[in-house]
């Protein structure tokens, strides 16, 4: 199905607005939203040797704090990012990333299993058998996000 693009110039606006209209939410629509939300500046991950790599947010499993740095974990590697977790939380809002603890943000598209049997917490398994835990402070919010 072809994409119809319209541009409306309105001098009364203080910033740029983008509205996406679609008959249904599909992976293609989600990918478009991700590209729009990322803007022109890609999120960079830094390898241990200092090489900067643009990160594909669809591939990121989680962002987490470690050794006073913020890391981005993908199935292939772990990168250091320069943004703080609160900045990432703001940038990724509405993009299927959610804060699960003081030091961790996960990609909900990468959740493969939930273990609700633990009292007061939720264990999440991400792609590649990566296990993370939703802290008690975030359990209520997480259950709302997941519709539990």
């Amino acid at each position: 199905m072809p994409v119809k693009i319209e541009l409306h110039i309105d001098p009364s606006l203080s910033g740029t607005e983008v509205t996406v209209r679609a008959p249904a939410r599909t992976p293609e629509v989600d990918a478009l939203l991700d590209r729009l939300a990322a803007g022109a500046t890609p999120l960079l991950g830094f390898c241990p040797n200092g090489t900067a790599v643009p990160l594909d947010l669809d591939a990121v499993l989680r962002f987490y704090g470690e050794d006073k740095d913020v890391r981005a974990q993908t199935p292939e590697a772990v990168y250091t990012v320069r943004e703080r977790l609160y900045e990432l939380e703001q940038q990724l809002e509405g993009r299927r990333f959610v804060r699960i603890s003081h030091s961790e943000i996960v990609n909900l598209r990468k959740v493969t299993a939930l273990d609700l049997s633990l009292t007061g917490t939720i264990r999440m398994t991400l792609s590649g058998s990566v296990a993370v835990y939703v802290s008690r402070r975030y359990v209520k919010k997480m259950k709302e996000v997941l519709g539990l």
Side-chain angles (χ1 to χ4, degrees):
M1 174 186 232
V3 176
K4 179 181 174 185
I5 299 173
E6 294 181 26
L7 173 63
H8 299 277
I9 303 298
D10 184 349
S12 68
L13 292 175
S14 61
T16 303
E17 290 181 14
V18 176
T19 302
V20 176
R21 294 173 34 175
R25 184 126 188 194
T26 64
E28 292 80 18
V29 170
D30 286 338
L32 175 61
L33 293 173
D34 285 345
R35 285 193 306 272
L36 289 169
T41 307
L43 182 63
L44 295 178
F46 293 86
C47 301
N49 66 4
T51 304
V53 176
L55 295 177
D56 175 8
L57 290 178
D58 289 336
V60 173
L61 301 174
R62 66 187 180 133
F63 294 96
Y64 63 96
E66 180 181 72
D67 299 331
K68 297 186 179 183
D69 286 323
V70 176
R71 312 274 190 221
Q73 183 176 1
T74 68
E76 296 81 31
V78 175
Y79 302 94
T80 300
V81 295
R82 293 202 172 136
E83 290 78 2
R84 306 281 38 132
L85 281 172
Y86 74 89
E87 294 170 329
L88 289 168
E89 185 177 23
Q90 291 170 352
Q91 289 177 15
L92 300 170
E93 186 176 351
R95 299 179 63 196
R96 302 293 292 171
F97 281 85
V98 67
R99 186 95 176 228
I100 63 165
S101 70
H102 177 72
S103 60
E104 196 153 8
I105 298 171
V106 298
N107 183 345
L108 290 178
R109 291 185 185 110
K110 299 298 181 181
V111 174
T112 59
L114 295 172
D115 182 356
L116 305 172
S117 65
L118 302 168
T119 306
T121 192
I122 299 172
R123 179 178 184 225
M124 300 176 106
T125 304
L126 306 176
S127 301
S129 301
V130 175
V132 297
Y133 295 87
V134 179
S135 73
R136 289 184 183 152
R137 181 176 163 188
Y138 292 87
V139 166
K140 182 178 178 183
K141 176 183 169 188
M142 180 56 56
K143 286 185 176 182
E144 289 172 3
V145 168
L146 295 173
L148 300 174

